[in-house]
Amino acid sequence: MRDDEDFRVFAREHARTLRRSAYLFCGDWHTAEDLVQATLVKIYRSWSRLGKRDTVHNYARTVLLRTWLDEKRKPWRRREPVGSEVPDTADPTIDIAEGVSRSWDRDVVHKALLTLAPRQRAVLILRYFDELSVAETARVMRCTEGTVKSQAARGLDSLRAAVARLSEGELTHA
């Protein structure tokens, strides 16, 4: 029973960050919730076999990434990307104009992120949103550190190009 309570504590503490990462992977809040649920089920099944509880969060990232990649490969998931809005969070310390600009920037970056290849997107999310080191990202993705570095470099180049395309498109339509 102690294992069950430990798992509940883990799930409560980490579900929010897993959900955010899942959303960044897939771009849809409903799919992100499904991915987190599937991830937590997989982790629960192996909970008693997991040794160090302090490394479980990295294991959870790996399971989430693998679950997303598996889900992405399913034929019924091949469809047009969802164009939902990124939810805004209130920040009372800024003025409205600055907030609108920041929201627009965040939306453009998120749309651009969704155009990247899955592995490049995964590397950028793990490195820059989840703030993992190169070594930690390599462990989560089960690849070499060199692969992480090259995927990050290519991903950043692709992200910059996508942001530029989206920004030009927004400016010409304004």
Side-chain angles (χ1 to χ4, degrees):
M1 286 303 162
R2 181 71 187 143
D3 274 353
D4 286 346
E5 184 57 33
D6 286 348
F7 177 78
R8 281 189 204 98
V9 168
F10 169 81
R12 262 192 311 270
E13 290 176 356
H14 298 285
R16 186 174 182 188
T17 57
L18 289 172
R19 184 173 176 254
R20 181 188 65 123
S21 293
Y23 175 73
L24 291 170
F25 286 144
C26 69
D28 176 58
W29 284 113
H30 299 291
T31 305
E33 289 172 359
D34 292 344
L35 290 171
V36 171
Q37 184 67 34
T39 297
L40 290 174
V41 167
K42 290 175 182 180
I43 292 170
Y44 181 75
R45 287 182 185 152
S46 61
W47 188 256
S48 62
R49 294 187 307 273
L50 296 176
K52 297 178 181 177
R53 298 290 191 219
D54 56 333
T55 60
V56 173
H57 191 73
N58 282 339
Y59 175 69
R61 284 186 182 111
T62 301
V63 173
L64 176 64
L65 175 62
R66 296 286 170 216
T67 302
W68 171 63
L69 289 172
D70 289 346
E71 191 68 22
K72 191 166 179 56
R73 290 181 189 118
K74 292 180 180 175
W76 60 84
R77 288 287 184 200
R78 293 184 190 126
R79 58 187 162 93
E80 291 185 31
V82 178
S84 65
E85 295 292 320
V86 177
D88 291 328
T89 54
D91 187 351
T93 62
I94 62 169
D95 65 18
I96 299 297
E98 186 178 333
V100 169
S101 175
R102 215 171 74 193
S103 174
W104 183 83
D105 291 344
R106 184 174 47 229
D107 188 45
V108 168
V109 170
H110 185 254
K111 285 179 182 176
L113 190 62
L114 293 176
T115 67
L116 299 181
R119 289 181 60 86
Q120 289 177 358
R121 187 183 329 167
V123 166
L124 294 183
I125 290 167
L126 293 170
R127 287 282 292 129
Y128 303 108
F129 289 91
D130 288 348
E131 299 178 353
L132 297 183
S133 68
V134 171
E136 290 169 326
T137 302
R139 276 195 299 277
V140 168
M141 293 189 64
R142 295 182 186 159
C143 63
T144 66
E145 291 182 20
T147 299
V148 170
K149 291 175 186 177
S150 66
Q151 289 290 314
R154 289 184 190 120
L156 287 171
D157 288 343
S158 298
L159 186 65
R160 283 185 200 100
V163 166
R165 280 193 310 274
L166 289 170
S167 295
E168 288 171 9
E170 291 292 326
L171 293 175
T172 58
H173 290 74

